[in-house]
Amino acid sequence: MKYLRIIIILSIITGCSRKIERKQIQRIDGSSIARAKLDSSIKTLVDTANVTGLTVTIFNQDTVTYQKAFGYSNLTQKDSLSINHVFYGASLSKAVFGYLVTQLANEGIIDLDKPLQEYFDVPIPELQFEKEWRGFKNLTNDERYKKITARMCLSHTTGFPNWRWLSRTGKFTPEGDILFFFDPGTEYSYSGEGMMLLQYAIEHITGKGLEQLARERVFNPIGMDMSSYLWQQRFENNFCYGHTTKQNVIDKDKADETAAAGSMSTTPVDYSKFLTKIFDLYTNNSSVTQLMFSPNIRINSKKQFGPLLLEKTNANDSINLNYGLGWGILKSPYGYGYFKEGHGEGFQHYSILFPEKHIGILLMSNSDNAESIFKEVLKIGIGDIYTPWYWEDYIPYDIK
């Protein structure tokens, strides 16, 4: 009986210990934070920085261990934000597209290093589009377009601007001409235009539209029922509105055509399923994640956007800042981190996975003030002090 009592007591102690552990969020440096502490810290940041709404998802052991919404989906109506609200995904669209294209490359359907021109029946400048402005006619006399590959498009080294109506430093250019800022494959410069060219090539090669491909290869297999590159009727009563820095509500812009670079709508719950899938593939040494997360171009610009992207720095040498296929790559003492941000009018997002520690985080917000707290949320949430916040322009609200 004496030994039985000891066993029972030990079982109770062990059970209590496990309960305590479940209340803790594990960070990449081995430290942890209590859920209640994390809740209060995030809420304080959201309130202080006037972030209208924010959802935070944390992964421990490759699965969601914490997922919570703070603030409002529509400040005017005081509607609470939910983890099931549909967000404009902005450039999170590119990470999904990168995964989709990597599957195709892994299956031999596209060669990442074969010039895209070889997949088309006519020269790229002669491609026809329903919206003529999407075309590449003004590249007719610049044959550098013949060098562009899928790898360049996914790693942002095509030489194209982010968008044709923006200069390389982000100034509005009303003429909207597509052009090269540098020879393809030689530098890093974020480009939605490059992603769009690759989308056209993929659709031509497969004979399927992006939405069909995404549905077949990503959304349906993973169970992302509330995600799409096109606006869906089922989103109508379940979306959150974007908000300006002054917290004014922005009218909903509904995507009526697919854009690999940024038309995806999704929910924090759905996108968490996608990231969980990426964790699973990595943990099982999938050839897809091995290819997708292989570095392609070292990045040494002071910032990713704006005038400082033209200036060079060694500030990020310690993290070996690089780019894979649709995902950014950095090195930390706790293994590599694979990240993707999203930024559109009224919506700001960020995700980073540290697969070697089986830890990650997803931040999705419907506020133009959200990036001002990303640095601190990453630190308190998972101990991430390696995301290049200055390069990303995640300038904290209290030092702006």
Side-chain angles (χ1 to χ4, degrees), residues 11 21 54 61 110 115 134 155 163 188 194 240 282 291:
S11 298
E21 288 176 0
L54 173 72
Q61 296 302 313
I110 185 171
R134 287 200 179 279
S155 58
W163 296 111
Y188 172 90
C240 60
Y282 188 98
L291 181 58

Side-chain angles (χ1 to χ4, degrees), residues 216-235:
E216 292 175 354
R217 290 179 167 272
V218 187
F219 301 148
N220 286 348
I222 297 176
M224 299 171 68
D225 300 327
M226 295 298 285
S227 299
S228 175
Y229 279 98
L230 290 170
W231 182 259
Q232 303 293 330
Q233 186 61 36
R234 65 181 181 277
F235 300 164

Side-chain angles (χ1 to χ4, degrees), residues 108-398:
I109 296 173
I110 185 171
D111 183 335
L112 293 173
D113 298 307
K114 181 177 179 178
L116 294 183
Q117 178 57 71
E118 296 184 26
Y119 289 107
F120 290 113
D121 302 322
V122 298
I124 286 174
E126 296 179 19
L127 292 172
Q128 298 297 308
F129 297 89
E130 184 177 338
K131 295 180 179 178
E132 189 174 343
W133 62 265
R134 287 200 179 279
F136 300 86
K137 289 182 181 178
N138 58 301
L139 296 182
T140 300
N141 297 318
D142 190 338
E143 294 196 344
R144 285 181 289 180
Y145 71 80
K146 295 180 180 179
K147 299 179 180 180
I148 297 174
T149 66
R151 188 185 301 277
M152 294 176 192
C153 293
L154 291 174
S155 58
H156 299 292
T157 62
T158 59
F160 285 155
N162 190 8
W163 296 111
R164 64 188 68 201
W165 54 86
L166 297 175
S167 71
R168 193 177 181 192
T169 57
K171 293 183 178 179
F172 179 64
T173 55
E175 59 274 14
D177 291 335
I178 187 74
L179 49 81
F180 287 102
F181 289 130
F182 52 82
D183 290 340
T186 61
E187 295 183 41
Y188 172 90
S189 188
Y190 196 90
S191 176
E193 293 286 357
M195 291 283 176
M196 295 306 296
L197 178 59
L198 179 55
Q199 175 186 331
Y200 307 144
I202 292 299
E203 291 177 329
H204 183 74
I205 293 166
T206 63
K208 297 178 180 180
L210 174 60
E211 178 65 14
Q212 182 181 353
L213 286 167
R215 183 69 45 204
E216 292 175 354
R217 290 179 167 272
V218 187
F219 301 148
N220 286 348
I222 297 176
M224 299 171 68
D225 300 327
M226 295 298 285
S227 299
S228 175
Y229 279 98
L230 290 170
W231 182 259
Q232 303 293 330
Q233 186 61 36
R234 65 181 181 277
F235 300 164
E236 202 62 50
N237 297 317
N238 197 46
F239 67 87
C240 60
Y241 288 87
H243 296 76
T244 67
T245 55
K246 294 184 178 180
Q247 301 204 75
N248 295 320
V249 177
I250 300 172
D251 289 339
K252 180 62 183 176
D253 184 16
K254 302 176 182 179
D256 58 0
E257 60 180 347
T258 59
S263 71
M264 184 182 68
S265 293
T266 190
T267 68
V269 168
D270 260 20
Y271 204 77
S272 297
K273 292 178 182 177
F274 171 65
L275 296 180
T276 299
K277 176 65 176 180
I278 300 303
F279 267 123
D280 179 65
L281 291 171
Y282 188 98
T283 298
N284 287 287
N285 297 314
S286 167
S287 55
V288 172
T289 44
Q290 288 177 15
L291 181 58
M292 189 166 66
F293 291 154
S294 293
N296 293 305
I297 184 75
R298 186 66 176 270
I299 301 171
N300 59 5
S301 58
K302 282 190 176 180
K303 284 198 174 184
Q304 183 167 207
F305 299 107
L308 291 182
L309 74 81
L310 300 176
E311 296 186 24
K312 307 302 181 185
T313 182
N314 60 4
N316 293 314
D317 284 0
S318 62
I319 59 170
N320 294 341
L321 188 60
N322 213 301
Y323 225 85
L325 300 179
W327 298 68
I329 302 171
L330 61 82
K331 187 177 182 180
S332 82
Y334 309 103
Y336 284 95
Y338 304 101
F339 64 89
K340 187 68 198 82
E341 59 281 278
H343 182 110
E345 187 179 20
F347 292 90
Q348 298 182 344
H349 317 309
Y350 185 74
S351 65
I352 185 165
L353 309 180
F354 292 89
E356 293 166 62
K357 298 297 291 186
H358 307 283
I359 290 172
I361 192 168
L362 167 65
L363 309 177
M364 294 183 68
S365 173
N366 61 334
S367 169
D368 278 338
N369 291 325
E371 289 173 355
S372 72
I373 66 171
F374 279 5
K375 176 178 180 286
E376 189 64 19
V377 175
L378 292 170
K379 179 181 177 181
I380 63 175
I382 62 167
D384 172 19
I385 58 173
Y386 306 99
T387 285
W389 59 271
Y390 182 78
W391 181 77
E392 292 277 13
D393 204 32
Y394 293 167
I395 310 302
Y397 68 94
D398 54 355

